[in-house]
Amino acid sequence: MSKKEKTIRIAHIVGKWVGGGVESNLMNYFRNIDRNQVQFDFICDSDSIDIPKEEIESLGGKVIIIPPYQKVFKYHKELKKVLKNGNYKIVHSHINTLSMFSLFAAKCAKIPVRIAHSHSTTNKLEWKKNILKQIFKLFSKMFATHYMACTEYAGKWMFGEKEYKKNNIYVLNNAIELDKFKYNEKVRTKVRKELSIKEDTLVIGHIGRFMEVKNHEFLLDTFDEIHKKNNNSILLLAGQGPLLEKIKKKVNDLNLNDSVIFLGQRKDIEQIYQAFDVFVLPSLYEGLGMVLIEAQCSGLPTIASTEVPTIAKVSNNFKFVELNKTKQEWAEVILESVKNYKRHDCIKECQQCGYDIKLESPKLIEYYKNVVGD
């Protein structure tokens, strides 16, 4: 049997590719996995943006575009056809509770291994979205043969406590290339110069898609308080998303146009961390929050809401703050975190907690081999 024939080719159902944490995590594994043993194909909805098609193809993968899941019948028909023609042994679905749609098509295509992957959870503040999530969650296991999650918490939320106790949920750490995020004074100076930021300016950093879950409005209110106490401060926001214009309007309403910089979607995000002085993520909920691992790895004081899983804390530079605390209280915690702080990277801590992609990617290969009985 040739090497090509022995390679396990896996269909990853991504849904709408928007350059978020799920896609970032998937690409981290794809870049670092032994592609002689395992190869990835990415099945994305037609309304996706910023798919790194050239890179994927250069690494031997394929990008396959299908109708979005909202067009239920077209989606099912096309996905079933793609999966049949691809002769896949494994379908790995990353669209959380919506995986019932993709894995039903996979079952109809007679794919033997169908993995449902939980990347997220929920929050009581998003009650309308929660109703749908709770309904779809009831069917999350129906067409799956295997369960995976980014954390124990995300796994229990989607598949249940019993499945976790029976060791039926494989927790795949959202690992990163740690060396890329190592603190570098020269890079910090370069990036700040490019962004016209003075060395003594306090930089509050945030990386996240402009969606309700990331809680940008509260972040802006908090920064407004910080700026009142220290007018030599700026907020850097990296990302894109449907609420971007709404957030820009709020910046204008708060008269913070000169103190908030929108960086857009960046491909050099590991360098952007270097320019920050503190990283803040007041999310309504997170499956993990991979940006928190990246921020800590680069040596940043990191502040997150208590709706983020506790496993996201890998260093002593991390603080949780409740969302019911006031913007003034959040501002105080953030300002306190940077007082007399001497920056240093936390690579060892991240490695010990299972976030080193070089150590984690071989484990994923073994998992895939085991589930197909190789």
Side-chain angles (χ1 to χ4, degrees):
M1 190 179 284
S2 70
K3 259 187 183 179
K4 193 173 181 181
E5 287 172 323
K6 286 184 73 174
T7 302
I8 302 170
R9 199 159 198 109
I10 299 159
H12 285 275
I13 313 291
V14 183
K16 183 177 179 178
W17 189 297
V18 293
V22 173
E23 299 94 306
S24 180
N25 180 50
L26 197 46
M27 287 301 295
N28 279 340
Y29 274 97
F30 186 43
R31 292 182 189 111
N32 288 276
I33 210 159
D34 181 352
R35 292 182 298 279
N36 288 320
Q37 297 187 65
V38 171
Q39 186 55 265
F40 291 0
D41 289 344
F42 300 83
I43 302 176
C44 309
D45 291 358
S46 58
D47 54 353
S48 295
I49 53 175
D50 294 332
I51 302 173
K53 190 170 186 287
E54 286 185 14
E55 182 185 3
I56 289 169
E57 291 177 347
S58 73
L59 296 174
K62 298 175 187 172
V63 175
I64 302 163
I65 303 298
I66 62 172
Y69 74 87
Q70 289 93 338
K71 299 178 179 178
V72 179
F73 297 109
K74 282 186 178 180
Y75 176 84
H76 176 84
K77 183 180 177 182
E78 191 60 29
L79 181 54
K80 180 181 169 185
K81 179 183 171 185
V82 165
L83 296 177
K84 270 189 172 181
N85 292 343
N87 197 28
Y88 299 103
K89 289 183 180 179
I90 300 175
V91 168
H92 190 155
S93 181
H94 299 271
I95 52 178
N96 297 310
T97 55
L98 297 173
S99 288
M100 59 176 288
F101 296 109
S102 54
L103 296 184
F104 176 55
K107 185 175 183 180
C108 293
K110 299 183 179 176
I111 307 298
V113 178
R114 304 180 295 276
I115 303 168
H117 196 142
S118 175
H119 289 277
S120 189
T121 55
T122 190
N123 179 279
K124 57 184 177 290
L125 298 177
E126 290 189 318
W127 65 271
K128 287 182 182 177
K129 192 180 284 187
N130 287 346
I131 293 171
L132 288 175
K133 279 191 176 184
Q134 293 298 335
I135 292 170
F136 288 140
K137 192 170 76 164
L138 296 173
F139 303 97
S140 61
K141 297 188 286 184
M142 184 175 285
F143 306 114
T145 59
H146 296 77
Y147 315 135
M148 194 178 283
C150 61
T151 62
E152 174 187 333
Y153 180 61
K156 287 178 179 178
W157 178 81
M158 186 143 139
F159 306 116
E161 188 86 31
K162 286 183 181 178
E163 296 295 347
Y164 187 81
K165 285 181 178 176
K166 289 192 285 186
N167 292 319
N168 287 342
I169 303 170
Y170 181 84
V171 175
L172 180 70
N173 291 325
N174 285 4
I176 60 174
E177 296 178 57
L178 298 179
D179 289 341
K180 282 174 63 176
F181 294 91
K182 187 175 182 179
Y183 178 55
N184 187 312
E185 189 71 36
K186 288 182 180 177
V187 174
R188 173 185 171 85
T189 301
K190 177 180 78 76
V191 175
R192 283 196 167 221
K193 189 176 180 181
E194 288 170 357
L195 296 172
S196 301
I197 300 171
K198 294 177 182 177
E199 184 49 42
D200 63 345
T201 298
L202 173 64
V203 178
I204 317 297
H206 173 89
I207 296 167
R209 188 159 160 74
F210 286 88
M211 298 179 71
E212 189 176 355
V213 60
K214 299 301 180 183
N215 210 7
H216 283 92
E217 290 198 60
F218 181 74
L219 177 59
L220 281 177
D221 288 333
T222 300
F223 175 68
D224 188 33
E225 289 300 313
I226 291 170
H227 197 63
K228 287 172 184 174
K229 296 174 186 289
N230 178 2
N231 61 12
N232 187 21
S233 60
I234 64 169
L235 174 65
L236 292 186
L237 298 173
Q240 58 188 7
L243 297 183
L244 177 58
E245 293 308 315
K246 182 180 180 182
I247 297 305
K248 284 184 176 179
K249 183 181 183 303
K250 185 174 176 73
V251 168
N252 185 63
D253 292 343
L254 290 170
N255 294 315
L256 289 171
N257 287 311
D258 294 333
S259 303
V260 178
I261 300 175
F262 292 89
L263 299 172
Q265 193 75 11
R266 303 287 296 224
K267 293 183 179 178
D268 60 345
I269 212 67
E270 68 280 358
Q271 295 194 16
I272 296 301
Y273 282 108
Q274 307 297 330
F276 297 163
D277 290 308
V278 57
F279 186 84
V280 184
L281 190 76
S283 297
L284 300 181
Y285 61 87
E286 292 282 350
L288 171 68
M290 196 164 71
V291 289
L292 296 170
I293 309 302
E294 294 170 349
Q296 289 172 92
C297 183
S298 68
L300 286 167
T302 305
I303 315 297
S305 76
T306 49
E307 300 303 319
V308 169
T310 54
I311 197 172
K313 179 178 179 176
V314 299
S315 72
N316 292 327
N317 310 324
F318 192 110
K319 287 182 179 149
F320 287 106
V321 185
E322 295 175 356
L323 285 176
N324 60 10
K325 297 291 185 185
T326 65
K327 58 187 179 181
Q328 290 87 356
E329 288 172 304
W330 270 75
E332 192 176 315
V333 171
I334 293 166
L335 288 170
E336 191 62 35
S337 73
V338 296
K339 274 186 185 176
N340 304 316
Y341 178 73
K342 187 171 175 59
R343 190 164 173 179
H344 58 281
D345 63 66
C346 298
I347 285 181
K348 284 185 181 177
E349 292 92 328
C350 291
Q351 196 173 59
Q352 288 166 358
C353 292
Y355 294 111
D356 187 343
I357 195 73
K358 289 179 174 61
L359 299 178
E360 298 304 306
S361 55
K363 296 177 186 177
L364 181 58
I365 289 175
E366 288 309 305
Y367 173 83
Y368 284 139
K369 283 184 172 181
N370 288 335
V371 296
V372 296
D374 224 8

